[in-house]
Amino acid sequence: MAAGALPTAAIVAAVSLSTVVFSYYLCSYWSTSGARYSTPCVSKKKKKKKQRGRSGLVDAIGNTPLIRINSLSDATGCEILGKCEFLNPGGSVKDRVAVKIIQEALESGKLTLGGVVTEGSAGSTAISLATVAPAFGCKCHVVIPDDAAIEKSQILEALGATVERVRPVSITHRDHYVNIARRRAVEANELASKLRKLAKIEDEILLNRIEGYGSDGQKQDSVLPYYGNGGFFADQFENLANFRAHYDGTGPEIWEQTCGGGGSLDAFVAAAGTGGTLAGVSRFLQEKNPDIKCFLIDPPGSGLYNKVTRGVMYTKEEAEGKRLKNPFDTITEGIGINRLTQNFLMAKLDGAFRGTDEEAVEMSRFLLKNDGLFVGSSSAMNCVGAVRVAQSLGPGHTIVTILCDSGMRHLSKFCNAQYLSEHGLTPTSAGLEFLGIN
């Protein structure tokens, strides 16, 4: 061995000690520098907490994120937050309602396994029912006004629902889409009753001879497919399961995501169609804290603004059933109504604001350009309402609204440049000047 040379074992020991010391200092650096990346110093024994998987489609509905809408918050000096209901499996806030309606109907025996849920809807509730019904072992039959965006019918059919498109008429007319949907449930129950009687005699031969009867007693071919287990009319406008879905779900979630997390909440605002969302959320929040203000944002053609602000339902110019034929009508779908539903009557409101078609269109383009949010017409109107509330309350307040659905089911109308041009609604604003903000 040469003089002064270290034994091999000593060299290895020295290198090992140096490695340990270097690793110690490296760990100290990473732990104090706030680095984003994990380091080799993290013990392998530490395991990440496993997230519980949700059980099926129904369990995946709800618990949607509440996000800060940065552009509107920065422009108004308020914290404007949007509840992202478009992230539900069926793509809208109506998923909550569909689940509640079907669950309660099954529990009460009004709907049986294999039965058909019928509904008259401008789109979102129908899509949610068609999405959710198979998870409960049921079918779906939808009656929809033929002026609704065509992609809504296409989605419904792709989901396996049967669809009737009918001309839009007043709710007082027997052929209003809601009234037709009610009749379809009755017809399905009549058919089920006949089948039960005939089943004891002969199955195949006699089943093929069944003839349907209309609600007026006139013999006619049934438009319903074979629904032998009866029907249930969802009745989203009057069925208080709608209200309960939001009182039990959406309202508590908003509370936990704001006040429950140490934050604050000053106001909630939303448009109303059936009134279920506005009623359920407003009632829950005001029971938790009476100081939280709740507001309606109402599109043209609807009488709810006048009811809240003046105590009268509507003016004679705002007649229902005149879609885009006069200056009092609207391009928005699923919101605005000229009657008081049982759901809306449950709402606790402090005031109302009027929105316009122009504002809704401009808002949708503004949100897409500045926040990357591609929203539908009702979501855009809700954001118009949020800005109006911010302007009314002043800076420093926290305001929540609902992002009901995305723009994906509004492609042929609300998001169609040619359609908007034909109705004088082409967006022209560079910012929020359409709401008086420069």
Side-chain angles (χ1 to χ4, degrees):
M1 180 183 297
L6 290 175
T8 301
I11 293 173
V12 171
V15 171
S16 298
L17 179 61
S18 299
T19 301
V20 170
V21 171
F22 176 75
S23 297
Y24 170 79
Y25 283 109
L26 183 61
C27 280
S28 299
Y29 168 77
W30 279 105
S31 64
T32 57
S33 65
R36 296 174 56 191
Y37 306 98
S38 59
T39 73
C41 306
V42 177
S43 172
K44 292 182 180 179
K45 293 182 180 179
K46 287 187 177 180
K47 292 183 179 179
K48 289 184 178 180
K49 188 177 179 181
K50 290 185 178 179
Q51 242 183 351
R52 182 182 67 84
R54 299 191 187 186
S55 178
L57 177 126
V58 171
D59 199 30
I61 293 170
N63 295 308
T64 54
L66 185 69
I67 65 169
R68 182 180 191 265
I69 304 178
N70 293 329
S71 64
L72 302 184
S73 299
D74 295 342
T76 61
C78 288
E79 289 297 292
I80 294 182
L81 311 177
K83 183 78 165 145
C84 295
E85 292 298 294
F86 60 83
L87 294 178
N88 280 308
S92 84
V93 66
K94 297 297 186 178
D95 282 13
R96 299 175 185 266
V97 178
V99 167
K100 198 71 167 178
I101 286 175
I102 294 177
Q103 282 179 336
E104 291 190 5
L106 287 169
E107 289 168 2
S108 68
K110 294 177 181 178
L111 175 66
T112 60
L113 190 66
V116 58
V117 180
T118 72
E119 183 59 302
S121 170
S124 289
T125 301
I127 291 171
S128 292
L129 286 168
T131 300
V132 169
F136 288 99
C138 298
K139 302 177 180 66
C140 186
H141 181 90
V142 177
V143 186
I144 188 170
D146 62 13
D147 63 344
I150 189 63
E151 55 268 32
K152 294 184 179 181
S153 293
Q154 294 169 336
I155 292 169
L156 286 165
E157 290 170 350
L159 288 169
T162 53
V163 181
E164 282 185 75
R165 288 176 68 89
V166 300
R167 65 187 181 92
V169 293
S170 169
I171 186 64
T172 59
H173 196 288
R174 70 183 302 274
D175 288 332
H176 185 275
Y177 60 93
V178 171
N179 296 330
I180 293 176
R182 182 183 289 106
R183 290 206 301 273
R184 297 299 177 238
V186 171
E187 291 168 6
N189 285 327
E190 290 174 350
L191 175 61
S193 177
K194 291 177 183 179
L195 288 172
R196 284 192 293 270
K197 293 176 182 178
L198 292 172
K200 295 179 181 179
I201 306 172
E202 193 173 358
D203 285 333
E204 294 297 329
I205 297 176
L206 290 177
L207 287 180
N208 291 332
R209 295 178 183 172
I210 295 174
E211 294 178 356
Y213 286 82
S215 60
D216 56 1
Q218 296 296 316
K219 190 178 284 191
Q220 60 182 24
D221 292 332
S222 176
V223 299
L224 291 171
Y226 178 79
Y227 291 138
N229 292 324
F232 171 75
F233 176 48
D235 198 13
Q236 61 167 324
F237 288 89
E238 308 301 334
N239 189 339
L240 288 179
N242 184 346
F243 160 79
R244 287 187 286 273
H246 299 292
Y247 182 85
D248 295 339
T250 320
E253 287 176 27
I254 290 173
W255 175 262
E256 286 301 318
Q257 290 169 320
T258 52
C259 303
S264 63
L265 178 58
D266 298 293
F268 173 76
V269 60
T274 64
T277 305
L278 187 64
V281 174
S282 67
R283 185 165 286 270
F284 179 86
L285 292 178
Q286 292 203 351
E287 286 178 4
K288 295 295 287 187
N289 181 358
D291 292 332
I292 296 174
K293 304 297 183 184
C294 295
F295 300 95
L296 165 76
I297 176 70
D298 209 31
S302 173
L304 297 180
Y305 171 83
N306 287 329
K307 181 63 179 178
V308 174
T309 59
R310 303 172 190 170
V312 295
M313 192 58 216
Y314 57 88
T315 61
K316 69 177 184 179
E317 292 91 349
E318 293 169 334
E320 187 176 347
K322 298 180 180 178
R323 302 282 174 181
L324 293 169
K325 292 179 182 177
N326 61 59
F328 299 98
D329 215 344
T330 181
I331 192 176
T332 58
E333 293 184 354
I335 56 174
I337 194 171
N338 275 333
R339 67 184 190 275
L340 293 176
T341 68
Q342 291 300 310
N343 283 288
F344 185 83
L345 288 172
M346 299 296 290
K348 298 184 71 175
L349 300 177
D350 295 283
F353 298 90
R354 174 73 84 193
T356 69
D357 284 343
E358 291 82 4
E359 290 168 349
V361 172
E362 293 282 7
M363 177 60 76
S364 70
R365 276 46 174 188
F366 179 84
L367 292 174
L368 181 60
K369 178 181 177 181
N370 293 277
D371 299 270
L373 288 170
F374 182 45
V375 299
S377 58
S378 53
S379 300
M381 187 65 80
N382 283 350
C383 289
V384 170
V387 172
R388 291 299 188 203
V389 173
Q391 291 171 321
S392 174
L393 298 181
H397 294 87
T398 299
I399 301 157
V400 169
T401 193
I402 303 291
L403 301 180
C404 314
D405 65 3
S406 77
M408 293 302 292
R409 56 186 63 169
H410 298 267
L411 299 179
S412 64
K413 293 179 65 177
F414 187 71
C415 298
N416 185 307
Q418 181 178 346
Y419 182 89
L420 295 178
S421 176
E422 291 171 356
H423 293 91
L425 293 172
T426 300
T428 58
S429 298
L432 288 171
E433 59 267 26
F434 61 94
L435 291 177
I437 299 176
N438 296 318

